[in-house]
Amino acid sequence: MEYKVNGLLLRATDYKENDKIVTLLTAERGKLTAVLRGVRKNGAKLKFAAQPFCFAEYVLAEKSGRNTVTAVTQADGFYELREDIVAFYAASAVCEVCDVIQPEGDGATDLFFLAIRALRDMCTGNVTGALVGFLWKALAVAGYALSCDVCANCGAELGEGDGEERKIFFDFPSGTFTCGACKKGAGVSPTTLYILRKADGTDCPGMETDDGKKRAIKLLSRYFTFRTEEPIHSLAELLTVL
Ligand SMILES: [Zn+2]
């Protein structure tokens, strides 16, 4: 049986002498794997389909539960993201996160559209902003949604009040933010909170700084690994070059 899917390449691993096994996140069938035959031979026509961030319509033939790619029409290769080290790691992190949280063989998924949107956004130059937004929403898709509206303990506005009260804290086990009076977990800078609130779509006063974005990525990365017990290697690499 042949069928078509719109897929984003998450991973490609060598298989047999000349083949690759690709892991795709698809709009129609969630995550699936398929064999790309002969793509490691010189001049193979479908070589592009095993390149990082390939977004394409894949035609798959299914036989006894195994998929083989028979044709690929590329929609976007996101080539720009391969030419810059920061963009490359950020885009790789999007794919890695999808791979961890999307179970194999599940139905249609919102995650696919979130990932494509993030990669498109990254191509316009908004690399770290797009990544924070993606991580924030991906955590929600995975069932680990965060909320940074108010203090989770007393309901006070975060970052308001005088002196110590203005401080903000984040507690990894409960995934909650607290004010300086309730103080649970590790300290979070106001610029980090601003970036997270922006990712959440909340309109708030504040400053967008590179340092704030880096700290926000660090926090979301740590929280993600805390919940899933899976380290995201590209995020670790990204944090070393930011
Ligand atoms: Zn409080």
Side-chain angles (χ1 to χ4, degrees):
M1 188 191 69
E2 273 207 345
Y3 63 97
K4 280 181 189 172
V5 287
N6 289 290
L8 171 68
L9 182 93
L10 299 183
R11 193 155 40 97
T13 45
D14 288 350
Y15 178 63
K16 290 190 178 164
E17 212 171 311
N18 294 307
D19 307 344
K20 273 191 186 274
I21 291 186
V22 291
T23 303
L24 306 174
L25 179 67
T26 73
E28 300 84 359
R29 298 188 173 213
K31 190 168 82 173
L32 54 84
T33 55
V35 180
L36 251 176
R37 292 207 197 286
V39 280
R40 279 155 62 215
K41 283 186 195 152
N42 283 335
K45 239 173 50 189
L46 294 182
K47 225 176 190 94
F48 71 90
Q51 294 294 310
F53 325 130
C54 177
F55 164 35
E57 183 186 83
Y58 290 81
V59 181
L60 306 173
E62 190 180 354
K63 201 179 164 190
S64 0
R66 288 184 68 116
N67 298 306
T68 305
V69 179
T70 57
V72 188
T73 312
Q74 193 165 47
D76 203 332
F78 300 111
Y79 297 109
E80 304 92 307
L81 303 178
R82 290 196 240 157
E83 289 164 356
D84 173 82
I85 190 83
V86 170
F88 179 80
Y89 284 134
S92 300
V94 168
C95 294
E96 228 183 305
V97 164
C98 289
D99 201 6
V100 170
I101 62 178
Q102 179 72 37
E104 196 144 339
D106 229 17
T109 171
D110 290 342
L111 198 57
F112 172 80
F113 298 99
L114 283 182
I116 297 296
R117 206 173 309 144
L119 297 184
R120 283 201 173 129
D121 222 13
M122 285 178 186
C123 286
T124 67
N126 179 25
V127 174
T128 45
L131 179 62
V132 176
F134 171 79
L135 292 173
W136 185 269
K137 293 181 190 101
L139 278 165
V141 168
Y144 311 124
L146 290 172
S147 160
C148 57
D149 290 348
V150 291
C151 170
N153 193 44
C154 71
E157 282 288 332
L158 292 171
E160 305 267 310
D162 301 313
E164 285 291 301
E165 280 172 38
R166 288 184 72 86
K167 290 192 175 163
I168 309 142
F169 292 84
F170 180 70
D171 179 48
F172 284 90
S174 59
T176 55
F177 291 86
T178 48
C179 72
C182 299
K183 207 175 172 172
K184 199 174 170 199
V188 176
S189 74
T191 49
T192 307
L193 183 73
Y194 173 74
I195 299 296
L196 294 174
R197 283 184 161 169
K198 251 192 99 181
D200 191 33
T202 316
D203 206 17
C204 60
M207 277 255 290
E208 192 168 326
T209 63
D210 287 342
D211 188 54
K213 284 184 191 166
K214 185 176 176 175
R215 285 164 188 269
I217 291 169
K218 205 181 263 180
L219 186 148
L220 294 175
S221 166
R222 270 186 64 192
Y223 182 63
F224 187 89
T225 300
F226 190 90
R227 285 284 171 238
T228 62
E229 293 178 3
E230 296 275 356
I232 303 296
H233 305 289
S234 342
L235 282 177
E237 293 291 345
L238 174 69
L239 287 165
T240 67
V241 294
L242 275 180

